[in-house]
Amino acid sequence: MTDFTPQNPDYARVVAESFARQGLMQGLGIALAEVAPGRCVLVAGHHPGLLQQHGYFHGALIGAMLDCAGGYAAYSLMPPQSEVLTTEYKVNFLAAAEGERLIVRGTVVKPGRTLTVATAEAFCLRDGEERLCAVMLQSLIRLPAKEPAA
Amino acid sequence: MTDFTPQNPDYARVVAESFARQGLMQGLGIALAEVAPGRCVLVAGHHPGLLQQHGYFHGALIGAMLDCAGGYAAYSLMPPQSEVLTTEYKVNFLAAAEGERLIVRGTVVKPGRTLTVATAEAFCLRDGEERLCAVMLQSLIRLPAKEPAA
Amino acid sequence: MTDFTPQNPDYARVVAESFARQGLMQGLGIALAEVAPGRCVLVAGHHPGLLQQHGYFHGALIGAMLDCAGGYAAYSLMPPQSEVLTTEYKVNFLAAAEGERLIVRGTVVKPGRTLTVATAEAFCLRDGEERLCAVMLQSLIRLPAKEPAA
Amino acid sequence: MTDFTPQNPDYARVVAESFARQGLMQGLGIALAEVAPGRCVLVAGHHPGLLQQHGYFHGALIGAMLDCAGGYAAYSLMPPQSEVLTTEYKVNFLAAAEGERLIVRGTVVKPGRTLTVATAEAFCLRDGEERLCAVMLQSLIRLPAKEPAA
């Protein structure tokens, strides 16, 4: 796995603050479990609002978490006063997402001044064992931050 | 636009019942606005739990609705006693999703006995005008239904 | 279908000249059949070097033509002194590509100053009838041209 | 990296024979450099018919090789009397493909009875150093072989 050097020494705080402002992630009870340069881990517990009709984690939830995990992995490598936007992503579902927790790990494949490419993997934790249930490939664009840092 | 003939005369009820069992869609307050053979429309209103950090509809919500709209468009063409699963999808985001409502239209591109390909478009309704904000391309697989029809 | 206004009045010549410099397209005998603002059509005839092991058009050829058709559709809307690069694309194959000719039509979904999103469809012509065999969704980036216009 | 057990003890011959029948790959001078269970490596040298207008390897060539490398990686794990078809793939381009050789490595992410998911990476060899220039994510379907084993 590649080691990346962050351009913003304060990257962990910046990622955490942005994550905290996301109504959707908060409403779904998703936790930001870890941030490192070029990496991000999100975790969801098992509750009815996250499931599909058979009691598995909903594919749409998995897609949402993959997108966010890749996005914050990318954001962690951007210079101060940046915004990050997903321009596109693609998810392949590999197995039914059955388990007690959903753990999603995002990783930067290639950082860039304008475009960053990231990947993410979703694992179901079941009886203490992790099983890969989805993979994602994604493009993100860096924009200058709109708001004053006030 | 292609006209499709449903294999299940009861397709509208089957889609509505499956949608009603999806905890995630219910929890987010997303409505199934329309089902026709090979087509499905989902609608979300504007409330904080659906937004990202700038007050726009969250990309992850858009991805989730695109996935579901394409999935139910595909499901509407499947024979009785079928289940539908997304095997993969890809989303391109085109514009900031600003507006009062998010309207997502799914359409089947090619139905198949095993695999179906669908597409979906997300529109923001703002001041009475719709604006395309994301497009999706998706594969779905048909599985025999697990449960008894009891 | 949207009507686009080209920023470069000379777009047709610029596209044709760029296409003519592509060794791969020339070597495969692919023709640029049509260029319009935001649109491009490529055509391939049936010969052994374009086929896979069952005598159908090779999926990799279809992917290549979809990529190029979308790329030149995007390029036709860019200002003078631009270069275009595909940043990513996704293809879904819908049917075996059997026929006398392969006709690929690229169309811009959303032009942008930096990123453009395009789509393309591949049709097989067989016994005088066109059949959709693949669809593509793609992102392209505009770069300032490197070479002098000499 | 996962270790896979082939279901066909003769997988290497089967892959090589299928590859040899592909008119497109032969015409482009692409070599099958390696096959292992769940893995496949393709290599292209530098010649004008493989380049785009700036002298780099053509993106369409890279897409074609990524598709094939993933496809044969998947095929190596299928039982005897199988055919493999790509149902969809997605490529992200990361860097200009400049170099003396293009080396493309396909790997299975998840084999399946019907659908297999694979990934592939394209590297440019330049001055003795490999540089990642594109990544791919792909779905493949297994079909029963059409031809008699004669």
Side-chain angles (χ1 to χ4, degrees), chain B residues 97-110:
Chain B
E98 205 175 357
E100 301 102 48
R101 314 186 90 187
L102 192 62
I103 302 166
V104 178
R105 299 188 173 93
T107 312
V108 169
V109 175
K110 175 135 198 300

Side-chain angles (χ1 to χ4, degrees), chain C residues 46 50-58 96-99, chain D residues 146:
Chain C
H46 190 276
L50 303 184
L51 309 178
Q52 37 83 287
Q53 67 274 33
H54 299 301
Y56 303 150
F57 286 107
H58 198 291
E98 205 176 355
Chain D
K146 284 184 199 170

Side-chain angles (χ1 to χ4, degrees), chain A residues 29-46:
Chain A
I30 294 165
L32 177 65
E34 195 188 321
V35 188
R39 288 205 281 279
C40 170
V41 183
L42 301 179
V43 176
H46 190 275

Side-chain angles (χ1 to χ4, degrees), chain B residues 83-137:
Chain B
E83 293 292 339
V84 62
L85 273 181
T86 300
T87 65
E88 57 87 27
Y89 69 87
K90 183 228 202 284
V91 185
N92 278 65
F93 295 99
L94 306 174
E98 205 175 357
E100 301 102 48
R101 314 186 90 187
L102 192 62
I103 302 166
V104 178
R105 299 188 173 93
T107 312
V108 169
V109 175
K110 175 135 198 300
R113 233 177 339 151
T114 305
L115 288 177
T116 290
V117 174
T119 189
E121 295 179 315
F123 298 87
C124 277
L125 185 70
R126 193 180 171 191
D127 302 330
E129 209 174 309
E130 285 192 11
R131 188 184 183 197
L132 182 63
C133 61
V135 291
M136 185 211 61
L137 188 54

Side-chain angles (χ1 to χ4, degrees), chain A residues 19-28, chain B residues 27-28 44-59 61 99-100:
Chain A
F19 186 81
R21 285 198 305 273
Q22 300 221 349
L24 183 73
M25 290 289 122
Q26 302 306 312
L28 295 172
Chain B
L28 295 173
H46 190 276
H47 68 83
L50 303 183
L51 309 179
Q52 35 85 286
Q53 67 274 33
H54 299 302
Y56 303 149
F57 287 107
H58 198 290
L61 170 80
E100 301 102 48

Side-chain angles (χ1 to χ4, degrees), chain A residues 2-94:
Chain A
T2 322
D3 273 335
F4 293 109
T5 307
Q7 296 182 64
N8 185 348
D10 218 16
Y11 73 89
R13 187 183 57 79
V14 166
V15 166
E17 285 183 6
S18 170
F19 186 81
R21 285 198 305 273
Q22 300 221 349
L24 183 73
M25 290 289 122
Q26 302 306 312
L28 295 172
I30 294 165
L32 177 65
E34 195 188 321
V35 188
R39 288 205 281 279
C40 170
V41 183
L42 301 179
V43 176
H46 190 275
H47 67 84
L50 303 183
L51 309 178
Q52 37 84 288
Q53 68 272 32
H54 299 300
Y56 304 149
F57 286 107
H58 198 291
L61 171 79
I62 300 172
M65 289 176 68
L66 287 162
D67 178 18
C68 273
Y72 283 115
Y75 196 37
S76 72
L77 296 182
M78 292 183 179
Q81 304 304 317
S82 298
E83 292 293 337
V84 62
L85 273 181
T86 300
T87 65
E88 57 86 27
Y89 70 86
K90 182 226 202 286
V91 184
N92 279 63
F93 296 99
L94 306 175

Side-chain angles (χ1 to χ4, degrees), chain C residues 27-28 48-51, chain D residues 22-30 47 49-50:
Chain C
L28 294 173
L50 303 184
L51 309 178
Chain D
Q22 299 221 349
L24 183 73
M25 289 290 122
Q26 302 307 311
L28 295 173
I30 294 166
H47 67 84
L50 303 183

